[in-house]
Amino acid sequence: MSHVFDKPSLWRRIKPWFAGFDLPLSLAIGWLMALGLICMYSAGYDSGTRFPDHLRNTLLSIGIIFIVAQIPPQKMMALAIPLYTVGVTLLVATALFGITRKGATRWLNVGVVIQPSELLKIAMPLMLAWWFQKREGQLRLPDFVAAFALLAVPVGLVAKQPDLGTAILVLSAGLYVIFFAGLSWRLIIPAFVIGAVAITALVMSEDAICQPEAKWPVLREYQKNRICTLLDPTKDPLGKGFHIIQGEIAIGSGGMTGKGFMKGTQTHLEFIPERTTDFIFAAYGEEFGMVGALGLLLGFTALILRGLMIASEAPTLFSRLMAGAVTLSFFTYVFVNMGMVSGILPVVGVPLPFISYGGTAMVTLGVGLGLLMSISKSRRLIQS
């Protein structure tokens, strides 16, 4: 008796690649990418190839998310030590042989010019998640001390370049892993209290410590100027305070519903500095107003909440730590970028995910979201 076997269709063959993709997370990503393309076209249509490049970077990010989502978390864990080692080695090489631009040594020529610090945004939480996974059930204080040492090395090298924005992102990603691993609140609360006291003292003594002759330990002169400008940008409205003042004017002038698509005067008369990169939220706020800003915040909130749900349901400690750190890293991106544009944080080089222009940032974001997708898929496969 002969049997005839139907050849599976193309869809049936590729369907397993999409199986387990997290729909709520995908919808949040799609919403943010769409807003990013709309905003970049409005803010950057007259800035050379900014919009076509941003479209290309967005498609590249989608491809990276899809590819990384196919890698099981246990295979990612095997990459932790190699990626961390390569990343730190490249940072040391950058300090010794790096390319200096505008007073910062952040780039390294390895045939192509790269920025090694970007690798640590993923390698750092990956390494610490691996570290705590290996010590699951037997964590002691020395394990946390070792974790802080692993974190301090790359953060110190990045801060020395100097690149305060990337150092904050690498530091926060590592701290999130350590927090989720079970760091005692007895250590966390005193750190918050010390930080609050330091900020209060800084604000109250602004007149004295912001004098030109005042020297700040550890921080460089331009970093001191950024903090002092934040405390009172009106002291130099056409110089150091220009960025913050123009960002606030643009956001405020947008009102409730904004001036309209491609109608932002502050944006297109070029009062907003870096309008397609660090300060793109000011351009967005001017054209789409509070309603548009709430729509953007809704997308980020949905992404972060879904990421935390994936972390809480992840099947292994490594997956939980990695998912939690990646998710809260998005919170750090959003909080720092919107905070500096709104005048509540110093100006640092931190992009707004999917909205700001930048290929390297898109790749990093794509890898992080691909990790989240992979962890979500692994949970669903175990349940099934």
Side-chain angles (χ1 to χ4, degrees):
M1 184 177 179
S2 62
H3 296 276
V4 177
F5 295 94
D6 292 332
K7 185 178 179 180
S9 65
L10 177 62
W11 169 244
R12 289 180 63 185
R13 278 180 282 169
I14 67 174
K15 185 178 178 181
W17 296 353
F18 294 91
F21 265 65
D22 193 276
L23 181 58
L25 183 62
S26 299
L27 291 174
I29 294 170
W31 173 251
L32 291 170
M33 286 183 171
L35 290 180
L37 290 171
I38 293 170
C39 184
M40 186 57 65
Y41 185 83
S42 179
Y45 74 93
D46 56 351
S47 299
T49 61
R50 284 293 163 112
F51 176 74
D53 289 348
H54 189 69
L55 175 60
R56 178 204 63 203
N57 294 336
T58 300
L59 295 175
L60 175 63
S61 181
I62 292 173
I64 291 172
I65 292 172
F66 180 79
I67 292 170
V68 175
Q70 311 305 319
I71 306 173
Q74 55 269 30
K75 290 188 178 180
M76 295 177 197
M77 192 165 67
L79 297 173
I81 295 178
L83 284 178
Y84 178 83
T85 303
V86 169
V88 172
T89 301
L90 289 175
L91 286 178
V92 173
T94 301
L96 297 175
F97 315 109
I99 299 170
T100 301
R101 297 173 183 169
K102 297 181 180 180
T105 309
R106 303 174 185 173
W107 300 271
L108 184 67
N109 192 335
V110 292
V112 294
V113 177
I114 61 172
Q115 190 173 349
S117 57
E118 290 291 328
L119 177 61
L120 270 300
K121 292 179 182 178
I122 297 297
M124 189 70 258
L126 203 63
M127 181 65 191
L128 291 180
W130 172 89
W131 173 259
F132 287 114
Q133 173 69 56
K134 292 299 182 181
R135 280 147 186 80
E136 184 179 12
Q138 54 184 5
L139 280 176
R140 300 290 185 272
L141 181 60
D143 296 319
F144 285 99
V145 173
F148 276 108
L150 289 170
L151 177 59
V153 173
V155 170
L157 289 170
V158 174
K160 192 176 185 300
Q161 291 179 349
D163 187 354
L164 184 58
T166 302
I168 289 172
L169 294 173
V170 175
L171 175 64
S172 62
L175 290 177
Y176 292 142
V177 175
I178 295 173
F179 169 73
F180 284 124
L183 186 66
S184 174
W185 281 102
R186 288 179 296 179
L187 298 175
I188 297 173
I189 292 176
F192 275 113
V193 172
I194 292 172
V197 171
I199 292 172
T200 302
L202 189 69
V203 173
M204 294 181 65
S205 57
E206 181 258 334
D207 288 337
I209 63 177
C210 289
Q211 296 300 321
E213 64 275 7
K215 300 296 182 183
W216 289 22
V218 181
L219 294 183
R220 297 172 181 249
E221 185 67 20
Y222 82 92
Q223 293 170 334
K224 167 198 166 184
N225 290 336
R226 285 183 178 182
I227 295 174
C228 290
T229 300
L230 171 70
L231 295 175
D232 188 3
T234 60
K235 283 188 175 181
D236 190 6
L238 298 180
K240 299 182 181 70
F242 186 79
H243 289 58
I244 294 177
I245 292 173
Q246 295 303 320
E248 292 175 346
I249 290 173
I251 294 172
S253 65
M256 184 61 67
T257 58
K259 295 177 179 177
F261 180 60
M262 298 178 65
K263 295 181 179 178
T265 52
Q266 293 290 117
T267 301
H268 296 296
L269 293 176
E270 299 187 1
F271 283 98
I272 300 176
E274 308 296 339
R275 58 187 166 125
T276 60
T277 53
D278 293 346
F279 273 73
I280 197 167
F281 180 64
Y284 182 92
E286 181 185 24
E287 295 196 344
F288 301 103
M290 181 178 290
V291 173
L294 289 176
L296 183 62
L297 287 172
L298 178 64
F300 283 122
T301 301
L303 186 150
I304 292 168
L305 290 178
R306 186 58 192 164
L308 291 176
M309 288 181 66
I310 292 172
S312 67
E313 298 170 353
T316 65
L317 178 62
F318 171 82
S319 298
R320 290 194 295 274
L321 296 179
M322 196 65 207
V326 167
T327 300
L328 290 187
S329 291
F330 275 87
F331 168 78
T332 303
Y333 272 99
V334 175
F335 179 76
V336 173
N337 180 276
M338 291 186 176
M340 72 179 188
V341 173
S342 304
I344 62 174
L345 291 175
V347 175
V348 293
V350 174
L352 188 60
F354 302 119
I355 313 298
S356 295
Y357 176 85
T360 306
M362 276 291 200
V363 170
T364 305
L365 296 170
V367 172
L369 290 172
L371 287 169
L372 270 182
M373 286 290 188
S374 172
I375 292 167
S376 178
K377 288 178 68 175
S378 69
R379 172 181 60 84
R380 293 178 181 222
L381 289 172
I382 289 174
Q383 288 176 345
S384 60

